[in-house]
Amino acid sequence: MREAVREREFREFAETRQAHLRRSAYLLCGDWHQAQDLTQAALMKLYAAWGRVRKDGNVDAYARTILTRTFIDQRRKGCWREDPVGEPPDMTSTAPHAPELRLMMQEALMELSPRYRAVLVLRFWEDWTVEQTAQALRISPGTVKSQSARGLTRLRTIVEGLTSESTGRSGR
């Protein structure tokens, strides 16, 4: 009986939170297929710890922590490698629109290192505190602050480069 309740509770959680976890995973890895795989791996790990986690109460935070750590571990192990197959399509635009800006920001985010990306996603997408992010990534709060600052600086530089690149293309 207890096992059936445990499975039902987990299934309900997974069904309601899977889309949000997948969006976060996409921001981390930049590919919807990999995001789905990452989400499934995180949910499997969460299921293994479900009895303990649901007693603690903050299941969402635990799930996002698992997702982020799984992403970093897989990147560290080299499980996912990008194999470029050609030049990206020419993204000419006359005026910046929200979809184009969104794509540009996602492209810039993918150029960051996995660690900077993880810190920025947790801090600014998930809206976590410095302490929560530090705990999730097993680093000090000072490291979170410095990596946030460096990551944002790097992100701004990338966005400026992409912006000047796109205005240079449309001006030809």
Side-chain angles (χ1 to χ4, degrees), residues 79-96:
C79 295
W80 290 338
R81 293 287 183 217
E82 187 174 319
D83 296 323
V85 292
E87 289 296 314
D90 187 19
M91 303 279 292
T92 58
S93 171
T94 56

Side-chain angles (χ1 to χ4, degrees), residues 6 46-56:
R6 178 178 183 248
L46 180 63
Y47 181 75
W50 186 252
R52 178 175 41 86
V53 172
R54 80 183 161 149
K55 288 178 187 172
D56 291 344

Side-chain angles (χ1 to χ4, degrees), residues 43-116:
L43 286 173
M44 288 186 323
K45 291 177 181 182
L46 180 63
Y47 181 75
W50 186 252
R52 178 175 41 86
V53 172
R54 80 183 161 149
K55 288 178 187 172
D56 291 344
N58 200 350
V59 180
D60 279 332
Y62 195 85
R64 289 189 302 264
T65 298
I66 289 174
L67 181 76
T68 306
R69 287 181 182 168
T70 302
F71 164 72
I72 290 172
D73 288 346
Q74 288 179 344
R75 288 293 174 157
R76 190 178 300 132
K77 291 176 186 174
C79 295
W80 290 338
R81 293 287 183 217
E82 187 174 319
D83 296 323
V85 292
E87 289 296 314
D90 187 19
M91 303 279 292
T92 58
S93 171
T94 56
H97 299 287
E100 292 170 353
L101 177 61
R102 185 178 188 180
L103 290 172
M104 181 177 59
M105 289 303 293
Q106 287 175 340
E107 181 181 345
L109 193 60
M110 291 305 110
E111 290 190 33
L112 294 175
S113 71
R115 180 64 76 164
Y116 284 163

Side-chain angles (χ1 to χ4, degrees), residues 17-29 34-43 45-46 60-74 80 118 121-122 125-126 128 136-137:
R17 299 302 294 158
Q18 185 175 15
H20 180 74
L21 289 171
R22 189 172 39 249
R23 282 191 300 272
S24 294
Y26 176 76
L27 288 174
L28 290 169
C29 66
Q34 290 177 356
Q36 180 64 33
D37 292 344
L38 188 60
T39 302
Q40 291 302 316
L43 286 173
K45 291 177 181 182
L46 180 63
D60 279 332
Y62 195 85
R64 289 189 302 264
T65 298
I66 289 174
L67 181 76
T68 306
R69 287 181 182 168
T70 302
F71 164 72
I72 290 172
D73 288 346
Q74 288 179 344
W80 290 338
V121 166
L122 288 177
W125 171 258
E126 296 292 344
W128 282 16
L137 298 176

